Amino acid sequence: MNDGELTGQVRTHITDLEQPRCAVHEHVAAPFLNLRRAALADGFDLVPVSSFRDFSRQLSIWNAKFSGQRPMLDAAGQALDPQDLSPWERIEAILLWSALPGASRHHWGTDIDLADGNASPPGYRPQLTPEEFAPAGPFAPLAGWLEVNAARFGFFRPFRGVLSGVQPEPWHFSFAPVAENARRGLSVAVLREAIAAAPLLGKDEVLERLDELHVRYVTKIDWP
Ligand SMILES: [Zn+2]
């Protein structure tokens, strides 16, 4: 992937699927459909709730949280008032739940947030919350199935809440063979260039500590 692809500023690496509707890296489409077929055979309807997301989308999420237009939550899921927080505290809070624009694994098209269409009532929109995937939640059986089977298809969970600075995301799966190349390609310099050119709230603070953020949110991920 080139710098624009690594930071989600172009979508030249992305293929749009119709069934199920999603946008993934051209080399991830076939492995994902294989995973989906195997899941279906065991009774799970893998729904890609979120797949490729571009830089400008991530930027609008970031700026809406930073400015208080979208709720900012602490690690326990409680709402925070951005007015009470310094710019750096806001950045830390946003990063618990949202990626820095340019540093989202969803930019690569290798990462997909999954739910089970067979486990939710008609019309229900998966929220991707820890409760949904907890033992009593509707997606607990899916989480168990993926835990056992995803690796056979090349998928793993980068955010298990162990090494990664991101909260545990039991719904977030990544296709390792392509994602690992992207992770190695997304250097601090590539990320810095993308952020420096963007109207990102808190940009000065982010750029000042970009080396540290790069380690916490790009380099360090969880392996099985
Ligand atoms: Zn995700």
PDB file of all heavy atoms in Angstrom, residues 53 106 112-113 159 169 171-172, ligand 1:
ATOM      1  N   ARG A  53     -12.976   2.538   6.291  1.00  0.00           N
ATOM      2  CA  ARG A  53     -13.417   3.879   6.683  1.00  0.00           C
ATOM      3  C   ARG A  53     -12.321   4.836   6.238  1.00  0.00           C
ATOM      4  O   ARG A  53     -11.147   4.582   6.500  1.00  0.00           O
ATOM      5  CB  ARG A  53     -13.610   3.922   8.197  1.00  0.00           C
ATOM      6  CG  ARG A  53     -14.438   5.100   8.682  1.00  0.00           C
ATOM      7  CD  ARG A  53     -14.542   5.082  10.202  1.00  0.00           C
ATOM      8  NE  ARG A  53     -15.048   3.828  10.723  1.00  0.00           N
ATOM      9  CZ  ARG A  53     -14.535   3.229  11.804  1.00  0.00           C
ATOM     10  NH1 ARG A  53     -13.521   3.743  12.470  1.00  0.00           N
ATOM     11  NH2 ARG A  53     -15.037   2.083  12.230  1.00  0.00           N
ATOM     12  N   HIS A 106      -8.941   0.575  10.080  1.00  0.00           N
ATOM     13  CA  HIS A 106     -10.024   0.520   9.091  1.00  0.00           C
ATOM     14  C   HIS A 106      -9.642   1.233   7.787  1.00  0.00           C
ATOM     15  O   HIS A 106     -10.268   0.996   6.758  1.00  0.00           O
ATOM     16  CB  HIS A 106     -11.313   1.107   9.664  1.00  0.00           C
ATOM     17  CG  HIS A 106     -12.002   0.199  10.646  1.00  0.00           C
ATOM     18  ND1 HIS A 106     -12.723  -0.901  10.245  1.00  0.00           N
ATOM     19  CD2 HIS A 106     -12.072   0.209  11.997  1.00  0.00           C
ATOM     20  CE1 HIS A 106     -13.210  -1.522  11.313  1.00  0.00           C
ATOM     21  NE2 HIS A 106     -12.830  -0.866  12.398  1.00  0.00           N
ATOM     22  N   ILE A 112     -12.388  -5.489   9.978  1.00  0.00           N
ATOM     23  CA  ILE A 112     -13.845  -5.485   9.859  1.00  0.00           C
ATOM     24  C   ILE A 112     -14.452  -5.679  11.251  1.00  0.00           C
ATOM     25  O   ILE A 112     -13.983  -6.514  12.027  1.00  0.00           O
ATOM     26  CB  ILE A 112     -14.324  -6.638   8.936  1.00  0.00           C
ATOM     27  CG1 ILE A 112     -13.524  -6.659   7.622  1.00  0.00           C
ATOM     28  CG2 ILE A 112     -15.812  -6.504   8.633  1.00  0.00           C
ATOM     29  CD1 ILE A 112     -13.866  -7.852   6.717  1.00  0.00           C
ATOM     30  N   ASP A 113     -15.485  -4.891  11.561  1.00  0.00           N
ATOM     31  CA  ASP A 113     -16.240  -5.071  12.808  1.00  0.00           C
ATOM     32  C   ASP A 113     -17.417  -5.988  12.503  1.00  0.00           C
ATOM     33  O   ASP A 113     -18.217  -5.695  11.609  1.00  0.00           O
ATOM     34  CB  ASP A 113     -16.754  -3.728  13.335  1.00  0.00           C
ATOM     35  CG  ASP A 113     -15.617  -2.782  13.701  1.00  0.00           C
ATOM     36  OD1 ASP A 113     -14.530  -3.274  14.052  1.00  0.00           O
ATOM     37  OD2 ASP A 113     -15.833  -1.554  13.636  1.00  0.00           O
ATOM     38  N   PHE A 159      -7.219  -5.870  19.015  1.00  0.00           N
ATOM     39  CA  PHE A 159      -7.550  -5.097  20.225  1.00  0.00           C
ATOM     40  C   PHE A 159      -8.183  -6.015  21.271  1.00  0.00           C
ATOM     41  O   PHE A 159      -9.400  -6.144  21.356  1.00  0.00           O
ATOM     42  CB  PHE A 159      -8.514  -3.944  19.896  1.00  0.00           C
ATOM     43  CG  PHE A 159      -8.039  -3.052  18.782  1.00  0.00           C
ATOM     44  CD1 PHE A 159      -8.902  -2.668  17.766  1.00  0.00           C
ATOM     45  CD2 PHE A 159      -6.735  -2.574  18.749  1.00  0.00           C
ATOM     46  CE1 PHE A 159      -8.476  -1.833  16.733  1.00  0.00           C
ATOM     47  CE2 PHE A 159      -6.294  -1.746  17.721  1.00  0.00           C
ATOM     48  CZ  PHE A 159      -7.171  -1.377  16.718  1.00  0.00           C
ATOM     49  N   GLU A 169     -11.964  -4.833  21.919  1.00  0.00           N
ATOM     50  CA  GLU A 169     -13.033  -4.788  20.909  1.00  0.00           C
ATOM     51  C   GLU A 169     -13.248  -6.196  20.363  1.00  0.00           C
ATOM     52  O   GLU A 169     -12.634  -6.586  19.369  1.00  0.00           O
ATOM     53  CB  GLU A 169     -12.655  -3.837  19.756  1.00  0.00           C
ATOM     54  CG  GLU A 169     -12.575  -2.377  20.173  1.00  0.00           C
ATOM     55  CD  GLU A 169     -12.429  -1.424  18.986  1.00  0.00           C
ATOM     56  OE1 GLU A 169     -12.418  -1.876  17.831  1.00  0.00           O
ATOM     57  OE2 GLU A 169     -12.320  -0.210  19.247  1.00  0.00           O
ATOM     58  N   TRP A 171     -15.414  -7.408  18.647  1.00  0.00           N
ATOM     59  CA  TRP A 171     -16.040  -7.430  17.315  1.00  0.00           C
ATOM     60  C   TRP A 171     -15.046  -7.105  16.195  1.00  0.00           C
ATOM     61  O   TRP A 171     -15.370  -7.259  15.031  1.00  0.00           O
ATOM     62  CB  TRP A 171     -17.164  -6.377  17.276  1.00  0.00           C
ATOM     63  CG  TRP A 171     -16.703  -5.044  17.777  1.00  0.00           C
ATOM     64  CD1 TRP A 171     -16.040  -4.088  17.051  1.00  0.00           C
ATOM     65  CD2 TRP A 171     -16.821  -4.528  19.104  1.00  0.00           C
ATOM     66  NE1 TRP A 171     -15.750  -3.009  17.852  1.00  0.00           N
ATOM     67  CE2 TRP A 171     -16.215  -3.251  19.129  1.00  0.00           C
ATOM     68  CE3 TRP A 171     -17.387  -5.022  20.294  1.00  0.00           C
ATOM     69  CZ2 TRP A 171     -16.156  -2.457  20.278  1.00  0.00           C
ATOM     70  CZ3 TRP A 171     -17.325  -4.235  21.433  1.00  0.00           C
ATOM     71  CH2 TRP A 171     -16.719  -2.969  21.418  1.00  0.00           C
ATOM     72  N   HIS A 172     -13.858  -6.643  16.543  1.00  0.00           N
ATOM     73  CA  HIS A 172     -12.926  -6.123  15.526  1.00  0.00           C
ATOM     74  C   HIS A 172     -11.924  -7.204  15.101  1.00  0.00           C
ATOM     75  O   HIS A 172     -11.096  -7.647  15.886  1.00  0.00           O
ATOM     76  CB  HIS A 172     -12.210  -4.905  16.103  1.00  0.00           C
ATOM     77  CG  HIS A 172     -11.290  -4.216  15.136  1.00  0.00           C
ATOM     78  ND1 HIS A 172     -11.444  -2.893  14.746  1.00  0.00           N
ATOM     79  CD2 HIS A 172     -10.202  -4.664  14.470  1.00  0.00           C
ATOM     80  CE1 HIS A 172     -10.492  -2.574  13.894  1.00  0.00           C
ATOM     81  NE2 HIS A 172      -9.713  -3.633  13.706  1.00  0.00           N
TER      82      HIS A 172
HETATM   83 ZN    ZN B   1     -13.153  -1.708  14.337  1.00  0.00          ZN
END
